[in-house]
Amino acid sequence: MSTNAGEVRPLLSTALTGAELLRWYWTLAELTGLARQMGVTARGGKAAVTARLAAALDGLPEPAATGPAAPRRAGRQLAAPVDGTTVIPQGQRCSQVLREYFVREIGPGFHFDAFMRDYVAGHAGHTLAEAVGHWHATRERAAGPQEVGAQFEFNRFLRDWHARHPDGARADALAAWQAHRARPRD
C-alpha cells in the first residue's frame, strides 16, 4: 500500500515513464490499447505486454520473451470413440471428446480443472485410464484452496478481501477494489 496519500492515477499515455507505468494497476485492455497506439506488440499476457510497454516508454529494446519461442501447435486431436486404452497425443486439447469420455467414466461431477488441464497438456503417451486415475488422485488437493495466478489480480484481491471481511457484501468488495487499483503499488 502506498504511503503517498492523495496521489491520483495518471492518464495512461505515451508521456509516462516505464517506472510510472509499473507503479499503477492497468487492465489488459488499457495496456493493449496503449501498445497498439505506440506500435508495440500487443499479444500475450498482461505481464508480457506491460514489460514491452515499460521498455518502449523508456526507449529501451523490447525485452526477450520468457515463454516458449513459438505458440504450441496442436497435433492430431482425438476423435470419438475413445476408451481407457486410448493414448493422449502430443498437443491434445481439453476437447469435447475428452469431456464426454471423462463424464462417462468419472460421472457428471467431472470438469477440466487445473490438475486435469495440466495432465492432458503434459502427459502425451499416457492413456485415458491413467488420466482418470489422476483425476481421482487429485480430488483432495482440488477441494482445498488453490493459488490464484498473479495474472488474476482482481480474483486474488477479492479472495483476500473476503477472507478479511467474511460477512462483507460484494458491493463493498468492489468499492475496495476500485480504491485499491487507484493507488500506486509502492
Side-chain angles (χ1 to χ4, degrees):
M1 177 182 261
S2 174
T3 57
N4 303 325
E7 274 192 88
V8 178
R9 186 174 96 146
L11 186 64
L12 183 60
S13 73
T14 58
L16 292 177
T17 64
E20 192 65 9
L21 175 83
L22 297 173
R23 286 187 70 214
W24 300 90
Y25 175 86
W26 309 101
T27 65
L28 181 57
E30 290 171 316
L31 294 168
T32 55
L34 180 61
R36 288 186 182 105
Q37 177 187 345
M38 294 177 63
V40 172
T41 303
R43 71 175 178 271
K46 185 175 176 182
V49 174
T50 302
R52 285 193 296 269
L53 279 172
L57 288 167
D58 289 341
L60 300 171
E62 185 173 306
T66 58
R72 186 173 49 172
R73 298 195 197 314
R76 178 184 63 86
Q77 298 295 296
L78 292 176
V82 295
D83 61 28
T85 63
T86 302
V87 174
I88 300 169
Q90 186 68 39
Q92 176 64 43
R93 293 185 301 266
C94 295
S95 66
Q96 194 60 36
V97 169
L98 288 185
R99 180 182 309 281
E100 290 168 2
Y101 169 76
F102 291 133
V103 167
R104 193 169 58 245
E105 293 298 313
I106 295 168
F110 171 79
H111 57 280
F112 282 111
D113 60 11
F115 295 105
M116 285 303 283
R117 287 189 305 272
D118 291 345
Y119 189 89
V120 170
H123 287 81
H126 291 250
T127 66
L128 293 182
E130 291 172 305
V132 169
H134 176 74
W135 166 266
H136 292 297
T138 58
R139 292 310 85 201
E140 188 174 323
R141 283 186 297 157
Q146 303 298 310
E147 178 64 30
V148 179
Q151 72 272 31
F152 303 113
E153 186 173 351
F154 173 69
N155 298 30
R156 287 176 35 197
F157 178 88
L158 287 183
R159 177 183 274 185
D160 293 345
W161 188 90
H162 281 292
R164 290 188 316 273
H165 307 91
D167 297 326
R170 179 165 174 79
D172 295 335
L174 294 176
W177 166 250
Q178 291 300 325
H180 168 77
R181 70 173 276 193
R183 288 191 296 266
R185 296 175 183 260
D186 55 349

